[in-house]
C-alpha cells in the first residue's frame, strides 16, 4: 500500500530550512514515494530537487505556492505539476518577487522605528535563496532576543496591528490560477482551515476559485486538525473539488510536522494524484507502484 503523497513542502528556496537536495534526502529516509516542492512564489529549487529525486528514486511533482489577495486577506494557491519553463508563470512570479523586495524593505523600516535596526540585512542573512519573507525577519528577531520563538515573534511583531506588519498586496485569484493553468498545472487551495473563513465566505472562495479553473483543495494538511480533514472532505465532495494532501513541511525545527506523515484522505474524496493531469501519476501509475514496480516520470 502506497503512502499518501506529500504535495506541499518548502525548501531554502523560500522559507524552509533544508536545501532542496536535503529535503528530498529526508523524504527518502521517511519513505515518501511522491513529493511536491511548492516553495512560495518561486521555482528556484526545482532543478536541484529534480536531480536529488532521481538519485533517491522519488517521484517529484514540480510545484509552487502562489500568494493571492482575495476578499481583503491573503490566501495561498498551490500549483502542482507546473512546467517551470512556462513564460507566463515565470513572469507572474517575477512580479511577486519584486513586490516581496519592496515589502521586505518596508517591514525593515517599521521594525527600525520600533527599535530593531538592521532587520533587512538580518533577514537576508537568514535567507539562503533570493526570496526574503516574514519568516526570515522572525528568525532574525529570535536571534536578537526579541522573542523566544517564531510563534511569539509573529504574535508580537508581524501580524496586523503590530509594529512590523505590512499588509500583503499580492496577485489576484484569477491571475494565480491562470498562471498555473498556463503552465499545464493543477491549482489547489492550500490549507483552507488557516484562513478562519465563515461558511459563507469559504463557499464564495471556492466558487470564485472554481470559476477561475481551480480544481483542488487541501483536505489533509499539516495545518489541519482531524476535524478539519472531515470538514474539508465534505467541502470537496459538495463542491466537486479534487482532494489533495500535504504536510506544509518547512524543516526539522517543527517536530510536530514531518514529511509524509499524513493520514489517508477521508472516504469519498477523489484524490488529485489519481486523476489524469498530474504527469506520470494517475490510476495506472499507482497500480504499478502498489505492485512494487519502479515507475519513472515520463520525459517531455
Amino acid at each position: 500500500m502506497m503512502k499518501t503523497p506529500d504535495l506541499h513542502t518548502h525548501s531554502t528556496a523560500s522559507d524552509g530550512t533544508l536545501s532542496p537536495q536535503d529535503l528530498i534526502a529526508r523524504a527518502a529516509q521517511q519513505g515518501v514515494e511522491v513529493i511536491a516542492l511548492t516553495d512560495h512564489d518561486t521555482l528556484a529549487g526545482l532543478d536541484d530537487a529534480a536531480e536529488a529525486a532521481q538519485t533517491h528514486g522519488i517521484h517529484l511533482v514540480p510545484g509552487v505556492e502562489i500568494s493571492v489577495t482575495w476578499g481583503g486577506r491573503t490566501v495561498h494557491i498551490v500549483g502542482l505539476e507546473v512546467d517551470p519553463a512556462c513564460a507566463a508563470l515565470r513572469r507572474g512570479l517575477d512580479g511577486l518577487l519584486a513586490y516581496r523586495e519592496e515589502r521586505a524593505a518596508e517591514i525593515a523600516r517599521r521594525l527600525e522605528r520600533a527599535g530593531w535596526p538592521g532587520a533587512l540585512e538580518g533577514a537576508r542573512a537568514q535567507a539562503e535563496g533570493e526570496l526574503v519573507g516574514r519568516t526570515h525577519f522572525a528568525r532574525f528577531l529570535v536571534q536578537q532576543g526579541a522573542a523566544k520563538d517564531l510563534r511569539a515573534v509573529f504574535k508580537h511583531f508581524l501580524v496586523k496591528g503590530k509594529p512590523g506588519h505590512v499588509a500583503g498586496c499580492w496577485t489576484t485569484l484569477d491571475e494565480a490560477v491562470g498562471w498555473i493553468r498556463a503552465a499545464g498545472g493543477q491549482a489547489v487551495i492550500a490549507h483552507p482551515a488557516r484562513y478562519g473563513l465563515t461558511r459563507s465566505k469559504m463557499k464564495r472562495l471556492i466558487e470564485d476559485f472554481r470559476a477561475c479553473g481551480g480544481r483542488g483543495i487541501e483536505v489533509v494538511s499539516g495545518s489541519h486538525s482531524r476535524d478539519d480533514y472531515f470538514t474539508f472532505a465534505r467541502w470537496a465532495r459538495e463542491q466537486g473539488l479534487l482532494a489533495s494532501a500535504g504536510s506544509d513541511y518547512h524543516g526539522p525545527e517543527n517536530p510536530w510536522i514531518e514529511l509524509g506523515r499524513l493520514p489517508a484522505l477521508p472516504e469519498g474524496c477523489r484524490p488529485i494524484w489519481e486523476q489524469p493531469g498530474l504527469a506520470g501519476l494517475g490510476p495506472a501509475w499507482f497500480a504499478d507502484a502498489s505492485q512494487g514496480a519502479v515507475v519513472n516520470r515520463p520525459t517531455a
Side-chain angles (χ1 to χ4, degrees):
M1 187 69 122
M2 288 198 60
K3 281 188 171 184
T4 300
D6 195 336
L7 300 180
H8 187 160
T9 70
H10 297 275
S11 76
T12 50
S14 62
D15 61 348
T17 59
L18 295 181
S19 68
Q21 299 94 325
D22 289 344
L23 178 79
I24 298 299
R26 188 179 183 97
Q29 291 170 359
Q30 296 298 321
V32 176
E33 297 170 80
V34 179
I35 188 170
L37 178 58
T38 55
D39 276 310
H40 293 284
D41 302 327
T42 184
L43 306 169
L46 290 178
D47 286 346
D48 287 342
E51 185 176 343
Q54 188 166 4
T55 298
H56 291 282
I58 291 178
H59 183 103
L60 177 72
V61 176
V64 65
E65 185 174 11
I66 300 178
S67 304
V68 165
T69 297
W70 175 89
R73 71 186 70 228
T74 298
V75 299
H76 291 162
I77 303 298
V78 163
L80 298 174
E81 198 60 62
V82 297
D83 176 5
C86 173
L89 177 60
R90 296 188 76 89
R91 279 195 304 271
L93 296 180
D94 284 347
L96 286 176
L97 185 61
Y99 170 68
R100 280 184 173 273
E101 287 288 319
E102 296 171 7
R103 187 184 188 220
E106 180 59 26
I107 291 172
R109 282 192 288 270
R110 296 186 184 194
L111 288 173
E112 183 166 7
R113 289 199 295 268
W116 297 97
L120 185 57
E121 294 76 14
R124 288 193 192 283
Q126 298 292 325
E128 295 190 32
E130 59 184 350
L131 183 151
V132 177
R134 291 191 306 164
T135 300
H136 302 115
F137 283 100
R139 290 175 186 150
F140 164 74
L141 289 170
V142 169
Q143 190 179 69
Q144 296 298 302
K148 65 178 181 178
D149 56 29
L150 297 186
R151 187 183 298 269
V153 171
F154 273 91
K155 180 179 179 180
H156 296 293
F157 289 93
L158 297 173
V159 297
K160 188 174 181 180
K162 300 303 178 180
H165 177 257
V166 177
C169 184
W170 308 106
T171 192
T172 65
L173 185 63
D174 183 61
E175 286 181 328
V177 174
W179 299 340
I180 291 166
R181 295 183 71 196
Q186 306 247 26
V188 176
I189 299 173
H191 41 60
R194 279 179 47 180
Y195 307 132
L197 298 176
T198 63
R199 180 171 177 80
S200 61
K201 287 182 179 178
M202 180 59 68
K203 185 171 186 289
R204 185 159 63 87
L205 171 61
I206 291 173
E207 288 173 348
D208 289 352
F209 175 71
R210 290 186 63 200
C212 298
R215 296 201 62 202
I217 190 168
E218 278 184 359
V219 169
V220 170
S221 166
S223 301
H224 286 183
S225 68
R226 186 175 183 276
D227 287 346
D228 291 333
Y229 301 158
F230 292 97
T231 296
F232 288 99
R234 185 167 61 251
W235 275 113
R237 291 192 299 268
E238 290 176 354
Q239 298 295 322
L241 291 173
L242 301 174
S244 190
S247 62
D248 197 10
Y249 182 84
H250 281 73
E253 298 77 12
N254 301 330
W256 55 91
I257 296 177
E258 183 55 85
L259 289 166
R261 192 188 294 166
L262 299 166
L265 292 171
E267 189 175 349
C269 289
R270 293 185 298 146
I272 196 166
W273 55 86
E274 291 186 5
Q275 309 301 316
L278 287 187
L281 298 184
W285 192 94
F286 275 79
D288 288 342
S290 67
Q291 299 300 316
V294 176
V295 184
N296 293 319
R297 180 182 173 196
T299 56

